[in-house]
Amino acid sequence: MPLRLRLAAARAVILLLCPFLWAPAAPASATPPPAASPSPSGDGAVDYDAIDAYVHGRMEATHTPGLSYAVVGPEGPLHQRSWGTDGRGDRVTAETPFLWGSVAKPVTATAVMTLVQDGRLSLEDRVVDHLPDFRFGGPGHASRITVRHLLSHTAGLPELPTAKVTDCVDADCPSALERLRALDDIGPLGPPGAEYAYASANYLVLTALVEAVTGRPYADYLRESVLAPAGMDGAITGQGTARRRHLSPGHQLLWGFPAAIADGVDDDGAGYGYLGGDLHDLAAFASFQLRAGTTAEGDAVLTPESVRLMREEGRLQPGGTGTGYGLGWRVGGLEAPLDDAIWHTGATPGYSAMLFLLPDQDLALVLQQNLYGLLQDDAIMQVGFGAARMLAGGSAPGGASASTYHVTVWGLTVLAVALTLAAGRSAWLLRRPPKPAAWPRRATVTVLWCVAGAAPCLAAVPLLGEAGLGQMMTWVPDVTIAASVAAVAGVLTALLRLLLAIRPLTRRAGRRRPPQPSGERPQRRIAPSPQPVSEP
């Protein structure tokens, strides 16, 4: 579920604008031909050709420019394929780097568990004992948040308001520790451990926590404790490694067309989403996990107890309701045959990735692609879920539609154009002499115009207050542009219509003569008689 919960409220609020949309929904793409089960015989052999056909079909259906995937065993890749081009037009290969989004979270959780195993940290440690300036929810709430709460997304951090501390790709971004100050005034969802809410801010706090405990940059400790032992030698952990790996821009859809415009890496984001690498790196982490946290040489990085805790579903307190999330991993929550899968998906603007562990089969599937859009999440991410189902012995689902995206972006675009034309016509009418009209009719028309013009702005204000214009431009640029134009044009239309409504009143008042003093008759002005002109 890549970022489906992250900024999820954005989807709902954007859809508030749908009553103003009158453009018909365009289909996302043609549905790919149905794929067969990957186990054609009783010997349990995987039909890689069927999975290849399905993956390539979904890639074409979603207009994904480039994709790379692999089926992995404990010793490494068993089958891999790469298609398409990167953001610079070069052919995608197994060595092409991608960003993995929230697939970084199980990597971060692994690093945290190594500190737990070394006795430098405990899952029940209070965060404030290591980060004294952490004040989310006030001193009383912050003092009860533990490391376990952060790993399991049960610290009470809400998703949308905390998005302001993530996805900073500028050169002068504050550090992970400095960003935590922005959480001070955000209200918690509930007591620690009582509510589950997937929010990347939890793992940004963990980034600062690891740095505080180790006294080292997070990327350095991550590389030493996890990346190097797992064989992820080409992993991207920040802007420097992204440049060295020649990471190309990712793609986002602009009015339905892929554009390589997502070019940025959060230097402090490797802990929650801006970790990346090539297919070999992602496959190496999957193999490392299939080996229960041991290196290729057999050295243990994770203990069996750590592996168990990470893959055990969390429970809310009180009540014991399952969250579907362990410590860095999503646990189950999918229909058979993936009901026992350990998995995670993720995305950054322009990139998406998926990792599915199938412990019963001792297999894993990893997939990365250079396209992502928040409102196309279902359609874009279905390729990984379908391929994993086939690997587990099931059948691929039907094609998911991106109709929500098309309805939203094209509807808002039509609305923006219509309101811009309405504002232009209103300005033109102001330059013309007013036409006589009954006041009730004029008032009714003005009210309707004001309501229609102000509606897009009123619908956008709550969203911008929660996520901010920067976050909206980062994740849904075309929708944000169309909505902004519609809001500005709508407000301008409403103001111009108000001026049109009151103009006759002001002109009528200007034509009134001033009252004469009582008892006096107005004097009549007599024009002077023409003077005779003498002739020479």
Side-chain angles (χ1 to χ4, degrees):
M1 203 184 296
L3 287 173
R4 194 169 299 164
L5 296 180
R6 183 182 190 183
L7 297 175
R11 187 179 301 187
V13 177
I14 290 172
L15 291 179
L16 288 177
L17 301 178
C18 285
F20 302 99
L21 311 180
W22 54 84
S29 53
T31 300
S37 168
S39 299
S41 64
D43 60 3
V46 177
D47 187 351
Y48 292 123
D49 290 340
I51 300 179
D52 287 350
Y54 172 77
V55 171
H56 193 265
R58 286 304 301 166
M59 178 183 171
E60 292 182 337
T62 55
H63 309 293
T64 300
L67 181 149
S68 190
Y69 95 99
V71 175
V72 182
E75 305 308 317
L78 304 173
H79 173 81
Q80 62 187 44
R81 288 288 183 269
S82 300
W83 296 286
T85 57
D86 66 10
R88 298 189 183 93
D90 297 329
R91 186 171 66 89
V92 170
T93 68
E95 288 74 38
T96 301
F98 292 73
L99 291 177
W100 300 335
S102 289
V103 174
K105 290 181 172 66
V107 184
T108 296
T110 302
V112 171
M113 294 307 292
T114 63
L115 291 174
V116 172
Q117 292 169 179
D118 292 343
R120 304 171 71 181
L121 197 62
S122 167
L123 291 177
E124 311 311 324
D125 276 1
R126 301 189 313 163
V127 175
V128 294
D129 290 338
H130 302 282
L131 299 173
D133 293 333
F134 179 63
R135 299 188 183 94
F136 163 66
H141 183 86
S143 64
R144 291 184 290 160
I145 296 176
T146 66
V147 175
R148 186 189 297 272
H149 290 142
L150 295 175
L151 286 168
S152 60
H153 297 282
T154 56
L157 284 159
E159 181 182 5
L160 199 58
T162 60
K164 64 183 68 174
V165 302
T166 59
D167 304 305
C168 185
V169 298
D170 299 330
D172 57 348
C173 288
S175 67
L177 180 62
E178 292 170 334
R179 295 187 210 179
L180 302 189
R181 298 169 187 164
L183 303 176
D184 291 355
D185 298 327
I186 296 176
L189 295 174
E195 298 286 342
Y196 168 82
Y198 183 89
S200 287
N202 287 287
Y203 278 68
L204 184 69
V205 179
L206 285 169
T207 298
L209 182 67
V210 170
E211 292 183 336
V213 172
T214 63
R216 303 170 58 188
Y218 172 78
D220 290 352
Y221 181 75
L222 181 69
R223 192 168 296 279
E224 177 187 284
S225 63
V226 180
L227 303 182
M232 304 165 68
D233 300 328
I236 292 171
T237 57
Q239 295 177 6
T241 48
R243 286 190 295 269
R244 289 194 291 273
R245 290 300 315 269
H246 304 290
L247 178 70
S248 64
H251 296 80
Q252 292 175 287
L253 293 183
L254 294 182
W255 286 272
F257 297 95
I261 59 172
D263 188 12
V265 174
D266 187 341
D267 238 356
D268 284 86
Y272 71 85
Y274 285 83
L275 184 69
D278 59 29
L279 187 61
H280 301 305
D281 297 317
L282 191 55
F285 184 69
S287 294
F288 170 75
Q289 290 293 330
L290 289 175
R291 295 191 301 266
T294 62
T295 68
E297 293 75 25
D299 298 325
V301 176
L302 292 176
T303 65
E305 177 64 8
S306 293
V307 173
R308 183 190 68 80
L309 288 172
M310 292 178 67
R311 301 180 185 184
E312 181 178 66
E313 182 181 18
R315 300 284 173 180
L316 299 178
Q317 299 300 328
T321 303
T323 64
Y325 205 91
L327 304 181
W329 284 110
R330 295 194 182 276
V331 181
L334 303 175
E335 295 182 358
L338 296 178
D339 46 333
D340 293 327
I342 308 298
W343 57 285
H344 218 296
T345 59
T348 63
Y351 281 103
S352 50
M354 288 148 270
L355 192 162
F356 296 87
L357 300 178
L358 306 176
D360 291 342
Q361 297 171 264
D362 219 15
L363 292 175
L365 182 133
V366 296
L367 186 147
Q368 49 190 10
Q369 47 192 345
N370 57 9
L371 175 71
Y372 186 73
L374 184 67
L375 296 181
Q376 309 100 44
D377 181 275
D378 288 343
I380 292 174
M381 306 302 278
Q382 189 192 58
V383 59
F385 290 95
R389 285 183 58 83
M390 296 175 70
L391 182 62
S395 299
S401 170
S403 58
T404 296
Y405 163 73
H406 289 284
V407 168
T408 302
V409 70
W410 287 111
L412 283 173
T413 300
V414 171
L415 180 63
V417 171
L419 288 174
T420 300
L421 294 175
R425 175 171 170 75
S426 300
W428 177 74
L429 289 174
L430 275 175
R431 299 175 61 88
R432 295 173 56 84
K435 294 181 179 180
W439 175 246
R441 179 177 180 277
R442 184 185 300 275
T444 301
V445 171
T446 301
V447 169
L448 291 176
W449 272 112
C450 288
V451 170
C457 185
L458 294 176
V461 165
L463 175 61
L464 294 178
E466 290 278 344
L469 183 61
Q471 279 286 329
M472 293 300 299
M473 280 297 296
T474 296
W475 289 99
V476 280
D478 49 359
V479 169
T480 304
I481 292 170
S484 299
V485 172
V488 172
V491 170
L492 185 59
T493 299
L495 293 175
L496 291 172
R497 284 290 167 171
L498 283 173
L499 291 176
L500 283 171
I502 65 176
R503 183 176 59 164
L505 300 178
T506 58
R507 291 198 173 188
R508 191 177 305 146
R511 288 197 299 267
R512 292 176 182 170
R513 295 177 180 176
Q516 299 294 329
S518 177
E520 293 186 11
R521 298 182 62 183
Q523 295 182 355
R524 185 177 179 184
R525 186 176 180 182
I526 302 175
S529 301
Q531 299 296 324
V533 179
S534 59
E535 295 182 3

